Amino acid sequence: MMSVADDRSAAGRRADATTKPSAFFMCDFRSFSAFAFAAVLALAPNIAGAAEAPEQQPRPELQSRIEALVAKLSSDDFSVRNEALRKLEALAADRASSAQVRRAIEGRLAAKPVDWEARALLESVRRRLPEAAQAVKPNDLATPEAIDAIFQDLESNRFADREQAAERLKPAAVHPATCGLVMLRIKKRFDNPSLDLESVRRLAPLWSDSWGTWLLSATETTAKAPAGEALGTAPMQITDKQIADKITDKQITEQVDRLIVSSPPNQPTAHPLLAPSAAAERELLYYLAREDVSPRVCAALEQRLKQAAAQGLGPEAFDRLQRVFDWSRPAMVAEYWQMGEQKSMQHLLIGVPNQPAGALNASLFDRCDEKFAHCVSGNSLSPGDWPVGIFFPHPSAMQGDAQFHLKNLPTPRRRLAYEYEVPTAMSREKQLTIDTARRKQISRRTCAHWVEAKRELTDREVDMLEQLDPDEVSRFVGPYLQGVPDRRLENGSPTAFGNGSAHGNLCYKLSLIGTAEAGPALIGAIEKRRVLEPTTATPYRMDWICLFVLGERVGWPGLDDWLVAQLDRTDAISIREPSVADVGASAAALLVQRHGRTPSEFGLERQMFAELIDLENPGFRFSKPEGRADVKKWWLQTKEAERKVAP
């Protein structure tokens, strides 16, 4: 496995040891545009974790007003442009109108001509749109005919038309329903070795966006295609199997032949992307990404590799052949995470040892599926089975804030897609955004795995909760506390803290990281007595303490009424000192604070416990007997006042 020394560099790039496409194939393909970056987050299921806004009902009068403001961005009067921009930005920030703003902007940007200043202003407004409004809806997608018309504009005699055409293609390039058509249209243009450099510059980012989006699409979309072409504009619907059947063995062989033929020295290519071998590599990787075609491509590549020595194949041609063939081999990735960030990764071919620089042992896994990977040799990971698709703690207790995530990449498509799912050439800000989104997704799978297993978490797994997504951990707590019985820890154990139970330790960790979703789960656990009572040696009611800490920090609907129902409880916060703080007083203190009052007004005193300092001591007591009644009276008056002013 990898060592901790493989950490991401200051520039935000991850360590990466694997077979990769050649430089002329990748070029700037992973320098994602803003559109492609958004597409990465949208394509992975729930990866961003953002709540989807309900579909907004279009309002014609509002749409007319928005379109009028958009038109004013082209005014010669600066004050008119500035006022229109200010109003558009306000409408874009409002979820009730953001979708209509997006439609108006997309419509204007798709039109021509649009002066450069107006285009820049429109782009600035579009960047301010909420994620849900930025997403392109199915009825807003460009038709195949419209996409082909835009490609025709790429060949216009006017520079401005060509630049605007490239901008207009971006949404289609990053949408799963249209990316395949854009990708194949660009691939066809790249097959022309006489393509000018300006066109290459314009098409390369669009190729990256469309190819990456296509690879990341959960299912390969159907597309319209004319005879003799994989995707096109004929009315016939083509399934993946029909597309695959169109790719013949002869075509595969021809592309393998092109791959190993070097360009003549006296015929230089204008750009590496246009070299015959680069075109062949693109085509073969496209074939490999088609699962119905992939076995035939693998067989052709393997056969040619076996013939290489007899044919006297040159080293450069052999390397190209081997590089493409390696994409067909089953692989996995071992990701090293620390403090919520993916710090490094190690790509491993199944059954092939990999010796990282400076590592004591070679990393070798001989099998991997969606549940387990079997390690034969490693550095951080010892021989044996390790879980796939979820987080698990670093085996060394000295690496308490680190965890691993193993990902199975059994097919060429999944291997190629991983390069775009986890891009490396991005700004740190975008890298952190992707890490946060992926951490949420992996945390969800990890928590679901634990709930399904119905087993007690280990001490290391409980510690690891701090490194997972807080919302996912908070959702997990309810099913876990209800499904797994609590266990008393030995008094001499270093983890015997709080109430001296396994669930008590989980409650303490939840106090530090929990969100509002954990509140109702804790209430359910308390009502069903799923957390053991404290002992004299470990005297704290950690379930109640956690509830009060979360209630003060985040709160949730219904909390006030529940707190009121607890006011008469006298359960001790610490059974070692039963008169110092109780549940009812602590509930009262939280209730009055939530409504802008200070506990001291009702004779409530915060009590200090050395073990609870990091939780800011949520335990209170009434310093005068009538304090409890005073809180009840105040609450009745508060509710009555609210009732009178309610509409």
Side-chain angles (χ1 to χ4, degrees), residues 5 9 19 33 76 78 122 129 135 156 228 250 272 289 304 314 332 357 359 421 528 583 595 598 610 633 642:
S9 69
T19 301
S33 69
D76 293 332
F78 170 78
L122 289 168
L129 291 168
S156 168
K250 180 181 179 182
R304 192 60 59 91
M332 60 176 286
E421 179 187 352
K528 294 186 178 181
V583 166
H595 291 267
T598 59
K633 181 179 178 180
E642 291 176 354

Side-chain angles (χ1 to χ4, degrees), residues 268-286:
T269 307
H271 192 281
L273 282 169
L274 306 179
S277 58
E281 185 169 340
R282 278 192 300 274
E283 197 68 25
L284 288 170
L285 289 182
Y286 169 68

Side-chain angles (χ1 to χ4, degrees), residues 189-485:
R189 279 163 170 74
F190 279 165
D191 285 346
N192 177 10
S194 62
L195 191 68
D196 61 279
L197 291 178
E198 180 195 305
S199 296
V200 173
R201 173 191 63 78
R202 193 174 289 118
L203 290 173
L206 290 168
W207 163 261
S208 171
D209 293 351
S210 58
W211 171 245
T213 305
W214 181 77
L215 289 170
L216 285 167
S217 299
T219 57
E220 295 176 7
T221 58
T222 59
K224 298 176 180 180
E229 192 170 346
L231 294 174
T233 58
M236 176 180 170
Q237 287 292 325
I238 301 294
T239 66
D240 289 332
K241 183 64 169 62
Q242 289 170 318
I243 293 173
D245 288 343
K246 288 179 175 294
I247 300 173
T248 66
D249 291 343
K250 180 181 179 182
Q251 287 175 295
I252 295 171
T253 302
E254 288 174 350
Q255 296 302 331
V256 173
D257 290 339
R258 291 178 69 198
L259 181 67
I260 59 179
V261 174
S262 300
S263 300
N266 58 347
Q267 296 181 8
T269 307
H271 192 281
L273 282 169
L274 306 179
S277 58
E281 185 169 340
R282 278 192 300 274
E283 197 68 25
L284 288 170
L285 289 182
Y286 169 68
Y287 292 169
L288 284 172
R290 293 283 186 185
E291 293 188 0
D292 288 340
V293 184
S294 182
R296 289 187 283 144
V297 181
C298 294
L301 291 167
E302 189 171 16
Q303 181 181 9
R304 192 60 59 91
L305 280 169
K306 290 178 180 178
Q307 300 170 348
Q311 293 177 341
L313 201 62
E316 290 185 6
F318 182 86
D319 287 346
R320 288 195 297 270
L321 191 61
Q322 183 69 55
R323 182 174 58 246
V324 175
F325 175 72
D326 280 345
W327 282 108
S328 71
R329 304 172 69 178
M332 60 176 286
V333 176
E335 299 174 354
Y336 174 82
W337 289 70
Q338 190 172 31
M339 299 298 291
E341 296 182 37
Q342 185 187 331
K343 296 293 187 178
S344 62
M345 64 180 74
Q346 188 177 15
H347 290 248
L348 300 164
L349 296 175
I350 301 302
V352 179
N354 183 290
Q355 184 91 28
L360 182 63
N361 303 312
S363 298
L364 173 61
F365 285 77
D366 62 354
R367 65 176 183 273
C368 181
D369 56 32
E370 299 305 317
K371 291 186 176 181
F372 295 101
H374 184 259
C375 178
V376 176
S377 171
N379 293 284
S380 296
L381 300 185
S382 58
D385 284 337
W386 294 92
V388 170
I390 65 172
F391 282 127
F392 59 90
H394 193 293
S396 171
M398 300 296 291
Q399 301 291 333
D401 59 356
Q403 54 274 163
F404 284 104
H405 170 239
L406 307 183
K407 189 173 180 69
N408 183 30
L409 302 175
T411 66
R413 185 183 188 116
R414 287 175 63 175
R415 287 192 63 194
L416 289 161
Y418 183 82
E419 298 294 314
Y420 289 84
E421 179 187 352
V422 190
T424 56
M426 301 188 77
S427 69
R428 178 164 177 77
E429 180 183 6
K430 288 185 177 180
Q431 197 72 71
L432 289 176
T433 302
I434 286 184
D435 284 352
T436 299
R438 293 191 70 236
R439 181 180 68 147
K440 185 177 188 68
Q441 188 184 42
I442 302 169
S443 296
R444 181 175 302 168
R445 292 199 301 266
T446 303
C447 291
H449 170 78
W450 286 337
V451 169
E452 184 180 358
K454 294 184 178 180
R455 64 165 178 83
E456 180 186 326
L457 298 185
T458 66
D459 294 340
R460 295 296 310 287
E461 287 170 334
V462 172
D463 288 339
M464 190 177 73
L465 293 177
E466 285 191 74
Q467 313 304 326
L468 304 187
D469 180 82
D471 288 325
E472 297 301 330
V473 171
S474 298
R475 295 187 187 104
F476 150 77
V477 165
Y480 178 77
L481 291 178
Q482 299 292 347
V484 177

Side-chain angles (χ1 to χ4, degrees), residues 602-621:
F602 301 90
L604 285 161
E605 296 178 345
R606 187 186 296 271
Q607 300 304 304
M608 302 298 175
F609 299 102
E611 294 91 337
L612 303 181
I613 289 177
D614 57 341
L615 303 182
E616 298 184 0
N617 285 297
F620 284 78
R621 76 178 183 92

Side-chain angles (χ1 to χ4, degrees), residues 547-548 550-561 563 587-599 634-635 642:
L547 189 64
F548 293 141
L550 291 180
E552 183 175 359
R553 191 174 75 233
V554 291
W556 53 88
L559 175 58
D560 286 345
D561 291 338
L563 290 171
L590 177 55
L591 180 67
V592 300
Q593 288 178 105
R594 282 172 53 80
H595 291 267
R597 304 292 290 271
T598 59
W634 160 81
W635 180 249
E642 291 176 354

